[in-house]
Amino acid sequence: MSTKQITARCQLQQTMSSRSSPLAPVLVLLMMLSGCVTYNQRMSSFEQNLSTGNLQPALTDLDKQTNGDKKSAILFDLNRSLILRLQREFDLSNQSLERAKSALQPLLAISLSEQTLASAINDQQRTYLPHGFEQIYIHVFKILNYVALNDLPAARVEVLQMDVTLNRLNEKNPIPAQNAFPRYLSGVVFEMAAEWDQALIAYRKALISFQESQQSPPKFLILDMLRLMDHLGLHAERARLQKRYAVTVWTTQKIYQQQGQLLLLIAEGLAPIREEAAIQAVDPKDGELYRISIPRHQNRLNLTRTPRFQVSQTQYSSDLLANMNSIAEQTLTHQIPAITARAVARVAVKHRVVKESTQEAPILGLIANVATVASERADTRTWASLPSGWWAVKIPLEAGEYQVRPLFASQTQTVPIRISPGDFRLMVYHRLGTNTIFGL
């Protein structure tokens, strides 16, 4: 906005404030908000720095935005947590995630005053409530951070808390695809803790989520379930699963515990964003301008279809665990009816303001119409630093030393690892751009 435009707006605000009309405060507020930009426009510098691996400038961008937008504070904590994780500051990352999680509960019941502002001005006036899948991934990243810190008891506690969140969300608005990877990760944590029965329960729930979302489950999930069913004496259930997926050979529990396990997770790309879609119309009777703004789903670049690894001399292809693009799109589809209803309600509220202003003075009616249209903005806020997808490959290894190298970028480093009998090694790779990869 230019200096002249700012000056003119201030003059209008001063003029309206000096009037005795009860509409004056409403018009001043609408004028103040009429120049609001969308969230994505404000976060463009952060996302550019993040996608190119410039982590410290990305943190600086977040700090600048946090100071001016208290309603999005929880979202800034979520984005900050991932930057800190990529910097291997796992404790600090979990502190940011815990702040976000602690702030979440009060937001589940949005205040009447915020609902009123959203109905009168725009949805950006509401304190940001993370979408369902974003609430789940608060737990997911805390679990991954605890595993990186070798704090398995804390990871297990977080798994139990995630189960509560998953059950709550499934009761209100089930999206099976958003459950599959978190359920599988729960099983991994239970396996690390040698809680075989709890691991099987989690794997069962993961398989159900894959099936309900019409996504093929990874073969290693089926093999792990067959092994655990045999170990726990659930032979009839094992036979049914074996028949359904036509599996004839799997590792026994005894051999499994003599080997080591390497699980490679890939957080691929950046999650989709929301853009603003606006519809404008003019009333032919009186010339009043109307505007409705709603968010629309926008995927970002998918970097690769199937990430591959080389472990010593053998190459492995990964399986898709979660398509975050699809999950985000399904989430918005569920939200659109309520978003549209609020937008339509705002048209009625703003029309009344314009009509009453026009009756008082035509110039006030014109100003009110301009302000009400300009203040109509869609809420495009999302946790945009999440990945666009999760991939995994699980490899049984004999005790020994190995070299792990990702094959999905030209500039990658080989990581040496040592596997002992009974080890369960989890390695996570974040790929943000073509050659922006962080191995944790």
Side-chain angles (χ1 to χ4, degrees):
M1 185 182 299
S2 68
T3 303
K4 289 183 178 180
Q5 288 174 314
I6 294 174
T7 302
R9 174 169 293 170
C10 291
Q11 290 174 345
L12 283 171
Q13 292 171 5
Q14 292 170 359
T15 300
M16 289 185 288
S17 297
S18 65
R19 300 181 65 89
S20 59
S21 168
L23 289 171
V26 177
L27 296 177
V28 171
L29 179 59
L30 287 169
M31 287 299 296
M32 290 173 63
L33 295 168
S34 64
C36 295
V37 297
T38 64
Y39 172 80
N40 288 332
Q41 290 170 328
R42 291 190 288 115
M43 295 295 289
S44 59
S45 176
F46 164 76
E47 293 188 8
Q48 175 63 26
N49 281 320
L50 175 62
S51 64
T52 54
N54 296 318
L55 301 184
Q56 199 55 46
L59 273 179
T60 301
D61 291 333
L62 279 179
D63 290 337
K64 290 178 182 177
Q65 294 296 336
T66 303
N67 293 333
D69 186 0
K70 302 302 182 185
K71 293 185 181 295
S72 300
I74 189 172
L75 191 52
F76 296 130
D77 265 329
L78 295 178
N79 282 313
R80 184 179 291 107
S81 72
L82 288 195
I83 299 296
L84 292 168
R85 173 174 166 78
L86 295 177
Q87 293 178 323
R88 306 187 69 87
E89 297 285 356
F90 302 116
D91 274 322
L92 293 177
S93 175
N94 270 354
Q95 289 176 26
S96 289
L97 289 166
E98 187 58 36
R99 280 196 302 271
K101 190 167 69 170
S102 298
L104 176 62
Q105 193 63 34
L107 297 179
L108 295 177
I110 299 176
S111 70
L112 180 61
S113 62
E114 288 198 338
Q115 292 281 12
T116 302
L117 274 176
S119 298
I121 301 171
N122 62 52
D123 277 356
Q124 290 188 117
Q125 302 311 307
R126 305 169 73 180
T127 299
Y128 183 73
L129 174 63
H131 307 304
F133 68 94
E134 295 175 345
Q135 296 176 32
I136 296 169
Y137 276 85
I138 294 175
H139 299 289
V140 166
F141 280 107
K142 286 198 71 179
I143 292 168
L144 293 176
N145 284 339
Y146 282 131
V147 171
L149 291 166
N150 293 315
D151 191 347
L152 192 57
R156 187 187 183 283
V157 169
E158 199 65 38
V159 163
L160 299 178
Q161 293 180 5
M162 182 169 68
D163 185 65
V164 173
T165 297
L166 287 165
N167 291 336
R168 170 174 57 81
L169 292 171
N170 289 334
E171 288 178 1
K172 293 182 57 178
N173 189 18
I175 300 178
Q178 72 184 9
N179 302 333
F181 170 51
R183 292 295 192 190
Y184 173 71
L185 182 62
S186 299
V188 168
V189 172
F190 286 127
E191 284 229 62
M192 288 179 168
E195 297 183 44
W196 313 118
D197 55 341
Q198 293 300 315
L200 179 57
I201 290 171
Y203 288 156
R204 282 197 195 106
K205 292 179 179 179
L207 179 59
I208 290 171
S209 297
F210 280 117
Q211 292 169 341
E212 290 180 345
S213 59
Q214 298 182 345
Q215 179 182 341
S216 297
K219 186 175 181 179
F220 56 76
L221 172 61
I222 304 303
L223 295 176
D224 284 337
M225 291 182 67
L226 291 170
R227 167 179 53 82
L228 289 172
M229 289 172 182
D230 257 351
H231 176 62
L232 297 171
L234 304 173
H235 303 301
E237 183 181 4
R238 186 262 298 156
R240 291 192 297 270
L241 185 66
Q242 177 185 0
K243 181 179 180 180
R244 174 164 185 172
Y245 289 97
V247 179
T248 58
V249 179
W250 58 90
T251 302
T252 65
Q253 182 71 10
K254 181 179 179 180
I255 294 177
Y256 177 87
Q257 291 180 265
Q258 292 171 350
Q259 296 174 328
Q261 305 296 319
L262 175 62
L263 177 61
L264 300 169
L265 288 178
I266 306 96
E268 177 78 350
L270 289 172
I273 58 175
R274 292 185 178 186
E275 294 183 338
E276 184 176 75
I279 301 174
Q280 294 189 167
V282 178
D283 189 333
K285 295 181 180 179
D286 56 15
E288 183 178 344
L289 183 63
Y290 298 94
R291 175 185 171 99
I292 290 179
S293 296
I294 59 175
R296 66 181 177 189
H297 178 88
Q298 179 61 49
N299 285 343
R300 289 189 277 186
L301 178 66
N302 289 325
L303 299 174
T304 185
R305 290 189 176 273
T306 307
R308 300 171 68 246
F309 286 88
Q310 181 170 315
V311 179
S312 292
Q313 303 303 314
T314 307
Q315 294 188 8
Y316 300 88
S317 294
S318 57
D319 289 297
L320 180 65
L321 295 183
N323 183 339
M324 302 297 285
N325 290 333
S326 175
I327 293 169
E329 187 170 12
Q330 291 179 61
T331 299
L332 180 57
T333 298
H334 282 287
Q335 295 172 344
I336 279 295
I339 292 173
T340 304
R342 289 195 299 271
V344 172
R346 284 195 298 272
V347 170
V349 171
K350 293 178 178 181
H351 170 69
R352 186 171 68 249
V353 171
V354 173
K355 183 177 180 180
E356 294 178 6
S357 300
T358 302
Q359 291 173 349
E360 184 170 340
I363 186 61
L364 272 183
L366 177 60
I367 294 171
N369 193 198
V370 172
T372 55
V373 169
S375 64
E376 175 61 21
R377 306 308 301 258
D379 187 356
T380 60
R381 292 174 293 181
T382 59
W383 187 359
S385 56
L386 282 175
S388 62
W390 288 90
W391 299 74
V393 55
K394 187 179 181 188
I395 309 167
L397 296 171
E398 299 298 330
E401 296 182 354
Y402 297 87
Q403 303 289 323
V404 179
R405 184 168 72 92
L407 300 177
F408 41 84
S410 59
Q411 299 176 6
T412 58
Q413 292 184 343
T414 299
V415 178
I417 63 169
R418 182 176 182 82
I419 296 292
S420 300
D423 275 356
F424 196 126
R425 177 70 66 86
L426 173 60
M427 298 177 66
V428 185
Y429 286 83
H430 292 256
R431 187 182 184 211
L432 307 176
T434 305
N435 278 307
T436 306
I437 298 176
F438 296 86
L440 306 176

